[in-house]
Amino acid sequence: MAKGKVIISCAITGAIHTPSMSPYLPVSAQEIAESAVGAAEAGAAIIHLHARNPVDGRPDQDPDLFRPFLGVIKQRTDAVLNLTTGGHPSMTVQERMRPAETFAPEVASLNMGTMGFGLFPMLDRYKDFKHDWEAKALEASRDLVFKNTYADIEHLLSVLSPQGTRFEFECYDTSHLYNLKYFFDRGLVKAPLFIQTCFGILGGIGSHPDDIMHMKRTADRLFGDHYEWSVLGAGARQMSIVAMAASMGGNVRVGLEDSLWAGRGRLAETNAQQVTLARQIIEAQGLSVATPDEARAILDLKG
Ligand SMILES: C[C@H](N)CC(=O)CC(=O)O
Ligand SMILES: [Zn+2]
């Protein structure tokens, strides 16, 4: 966090949650565009984007599904656009990187290690699904490998960096921080590193305060002041992790991709609602929210 300015990122729809889990999950291009504009107006400097099949809400990396909402968001906001290269963990790296390769965004996500990605515990909570693929995708995650090998990461860097795209480095555990250190020491990634530490995904680190301290301490030791720290908390712990990180000098990510909730037991009706909650937590600590251009300066983005 530079000079008391906290960068809020908002992840609009993602690929993990499915339409039957919440009537408020944006699916169509118009819903994604409207929700993103609302999140930007509420204070999100960075908007993280995935696309979905407009009929059944299935995650889809077809650039033609991204184009309509990218146009609207660029027209109506000056937010930094961050396109996913994670897609859905079951997709191939080639499929996952198509939107970033096509649109050369200011920022793209980059997942820093191969891991299990356990979504199946959500089957304990959700029973009734509108579409067949929903329960199948959750069940299939019992045997899912989210593939991000060193060769995959190098390939993504070699294709996207020359376009001027910089990265949100998704680190789900300390091993991912060491992977990033490997690429940093070889000059394949440049400071300031925007490190998104992800908490509470089964297959990665948990979301206990000790886990947050451990990831922060490890990142400080490995990267010193060559990085900007950000956190995302999956599920109900999202806002607790926002509060803790902001008090420790961190930036924050919210959005329906990471959590469907606006506080315990209350479904978030919009992404803007979560941005507003995060903003209240940040401003209550005497901190202020970074504008998109302040975020660009802090993260050295191409603009
Ligand atoms: C935990 C989040 N799903 C991390 C993420 O947003 C990955 C990506 O899109 O590349
Ligand atoms: Zn994502």
Side-chain angles (χ1 to χ4, degrees), residues 257-302:
E257 168 166 349
D258 305 332
S259 171
L260 295 174
W261 309 102
R264 195 164 290 288
R266 203 154 53 91
L267 277 178
E269 298 184 12
T270 63
N271 277 285
Q273 197 179 353
Q274 289 185 349
V275 173
T276 302
L277 280 174
R279 182 175 201 139
Q280 288 163 347
I281 292 169
I282 290 162
E283 292 172 347
Q285 300 184 40
L287 303 163
S288 54
V289 170
T291 65
D293 283 345
E294 285 167 338
R296 287 184 175 97
I298 294 166
L299 300 175
D300 190 18
L301 303 180
K302 65 179 177 181

Side-chain angles (χ1 to χ4, degrees), residues 89-104:
S90 61
M91 294 173 179
T92 65
V93 172
Q94 278 54 42
E95 192 181 353
R96 286 164 36 193
M97 65 189 291
R98 290 177 60 201
E101 208 172 354
T102 305
F103 299 107

Side-chain angles (χ1 to χ4, degrees), residues 59-119:
D60 197 319
Q61 289 290 89
D62 180 348
D64 291 341
L65 288 175
F66 282 74
R67 193 168 282 108
F69 59 69
L70 290 177
V72 173
I73 301 167
K74 280 187 183 146
Q75 201 184 20
R76 294 174 52 192
T77 83
D78 65 344
V80 172
L81 300 189
N82 165 355
L83 299 192
T84 181
T85 70
H88 185 277
S90 61
M91 294 173 179
T92 65
V93 172
Q94 278 54 42
E95 192 181 353
R96 286 164 36 193
M97 65 189 291
R98 290 177 60 201
E101 208 172 354
T102 305
F103 299 107
E106 288 187 85
V107 176
S109 62
L110 187 54
N111 295 273
M112 294 311 297
T114 295
M115 58 187 283
F117 211 96
L119 304 173

Side-chain angles (χ1 to χ4, degrees), residues 11 29-30 47 70 75 105 119 123 141 156 159 185 206 215 222 230 232 252 266 270 274-275 287:
Q30 194 194 349
I47 301 289
L70 290 177
Q75 201 184 20
L119 304 173
L123 287 167
S141 72
L156 279 158
V159 172
D185 290 347
M215 287 287 271
L222 295 178
S230 186
L232 76 81
V252 302
R266 203 154 53 91
T270 63
Q274 289 185 349
V275 173
L287 303 163

Side-chain angles (χ1 to χ4, degrees), residues 110-114 148 153 169-171 175-176 179-180 183:
L110 187 54
N111 295 273
M112 294 311 297
T114 295
N148 298 290
I153 293 170
F169 298 105
E170 317 287 352
C171 295
S175 57
H176 296 174
N179 289 345
L180 180 57
F183 289 104

Side-chain angles (χ1 to χ4, degrees), residues 222-233:
L222 295 178
F223 304 106
D225 56 13
H226 296 299
Y227 84 107
E228 277 292 325
W229 179 46
S230 186
V231 301
L232 76 81

